[in-house]
Structure formats: structure tokens, C-alpha cells
């Protein structure tokens, strides 16, 4: 969720603008990213809702946020605005993401290998203040801190109770 380059508060500012607009549309903000890819900057607003996000939700959110973003002008350089769904294999980054998906299948990639292994799959068994337990197929638990991971993603969205 960190922005890169100028405007360290860009993500925070955009989130504050976007959140009430999303709520009015029955949506939640999943994540906001301000990222440079090649020579271009992208402002990506990931939206979510129970039952999934449609293309119409993305269009509605884009229309709702266009003018407020222009008025607030939180970004100095030119950028491309993208409003999208976090997808089936969504990244779990924020505390509320982990809490929402306790009991779900996840994929974890560690920055540094443990016993020669960097990638794990299992069930998100618990979460507490940055630490989570991954229940492996053999039933053993692996305690991991979010800071040790390259990513944590949902593995299988089907069957997840919301």
C-alpha cells in the first residue's frame, strides 16, 4: 500500500477521497496503489463487495472519483487511473484482509527460505498483529510474520465463507 516517488501521502489521500464514494456505491476499498511501470504512473484503486465486483461497479467508481480527484489534485505528475477488482487470487496486505479470510486457502511466498522452501500453501488458521499461522496439509502449523513475506494471496476463492 505504499506509494513510490514523490507524494508519500498520495495513497492515503486518495484512500480518504475514495472510501466515502465507494461506500455510497455499496463498495469497499480493498487497496490503493500508486506505482510506476516503465515511464508511466498508475493510480490503482481496488474495490470489493460481497458477491464480487462487476465491470459496472468499476465504471461507477471511476465516474464517482474522477471529479473529486481532479479537484483535490493530490498527484503532481500525469498518471493513468485504474479501478478494478482485487481478483480471485487477491493479495492479503492489511489486517482486515487477514481477519476476513481466516479459514481460507492461501499461498505464501517468503523473502528468505525456511528449510530450503520459500513457497507454501495452506489454510490461514489465525492472525494477530502482523503474525499469522499457516496450517499446512499435514496439519502442522507454521507461524509467519507479514514482514517475512514477498506476498500472501488467496489460493482458492470458492468455498470461502464471507
Amino acid at each position: 500500500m505504499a506509494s513510490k516517488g514523490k507524494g508519500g501521502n498520495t495513497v492515503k489521500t486518495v484512500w480518504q477521497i475514495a472510501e466515502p464514494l465507494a461506500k455510497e456505491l455499496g463498495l469497499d476499498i480493498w487497496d490503493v496503489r500508486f506505482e510506476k511501470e516503465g515511464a508511466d504512473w498508475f493510480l490503482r484503486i481496488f474495490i470489493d463487495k460481497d458477491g464480487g465486483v462487476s465491470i459496472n461497479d468499476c465504471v461507477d467508481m471511476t465516474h464517482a472519483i474522477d471529479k473529486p480527484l481532479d479537484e483535490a489534485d493530490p498527484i503532481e505528475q500525469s498518471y493513468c487511473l485504474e479501478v478494478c477488482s482485487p481478483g480471485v487470487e487477491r493479495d492479503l496486505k492489511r489486517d482486515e484482509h487477514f481477519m476476513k479470510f481466516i479459514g481460507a486457502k492461501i499461498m505464501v511466498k517468503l523473502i528468505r527460505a525456511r528449510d530450503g522452501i520459500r513457497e507454501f500453501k495452506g489454510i490461514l488458521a489465525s492472525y494477530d498483529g502482523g503474525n499469522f499461522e499457516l496450517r499446512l496439509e499435514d496439519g502442522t502449523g507454521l507461524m509467519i510474520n507479514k514482514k517475512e513475506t514477498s506476498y500472501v494471496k488467496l489460493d482458492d476463492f470458492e468455498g470461502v465463507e464471507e
Side-chain angles (χ1 to χ4, degrees):
M1 192 178 106
S3 67
K4 299 175 184 173
K6 288 186 176 180
N9 291 323
T10 300
V11 167
K12 183 178 177 184
T13 301
V14 171
W15 196 298
Q16 290 169 345
I17 295 167
E19 193 163 41
L21 299 170
K23 292 283 183 221
E24 287 178 22
L25 297 170
L27 304 167
D28 295 311
I29 301 297
W30 183 263
D31 201 2
V32 175
R33 299 182 192 159
F34 186 53
E35 305 169 309
K36 188 170 186 179
E37 292 180 7
D40 300 318
W41 284 90
F42 291 86
L43 175 61
R44 294 187 172 107
I45 301 172
F46 295 86
I47 56 173
D48 197 22
K49 73 176 185 185
D50 289 340
V53 173
S54 71
I55 189 71
N56 291 333
D57 294 321
C58 295
V59 169
D60 291 346
M61 185 66 194
T62 300
H63 289 148
I65 198 160
D66 251 346
K67 188 174 180 183
L69 268 181
D70 286 345
E71 289 171 356
D73 198 20
I75 302 172
E76 293 177 20
Q77 61 269 53
S78 62
Y79 63 92
C80 179
L81 172 65
E82 294 180 354
V83 176
C84 47
S85 161
V88 175
E89 289 184 352
R90 62 189 60 200
D91 289 320
L92 303 183
K93 292 186 174 192
R94 302 168 57 80
D95 292 345
E96 53 267 30
H97 297 165
F98 283 85
M99 295 303 293
K100 181 175 182 174
F101 288 104
I102 289 175
K105 294 178 184 178
I106 62 171
M107 303 177 287
V108 178
K109 184 171 185 178
L110 300 177
I111 295 168
R112 290 181 186 82
R114 285 194 188 176
D115 298 324
I117 303 170
R118 287 185 62 205
E119 295 184 18
F120 296 89
K121 288 186 175 190
I123 302 293
L124 177 59
S126 66
Y127 180 80
D128 182 26
N131 297 304
F132 62 94
E133 182 181 1
L134 180 65
R135 180 78 54 208
L136 303 174
E137 272 188 23
D138 66 5
T140 60
L142 185 62
M143 291 303 297
I144 303 170
N145 185 287
K146 283 193 312 187
K147 293 177 183 174
E148 298 175 63
T149 66
S150 293
Y151 66 72
V152 180
K153 297 181 178 192
L154 284 186
D155 186 23
D156 179 10
F157 197 67
E158 291 182 45
V160 174
E161 296 293 322
E162 292 195 43

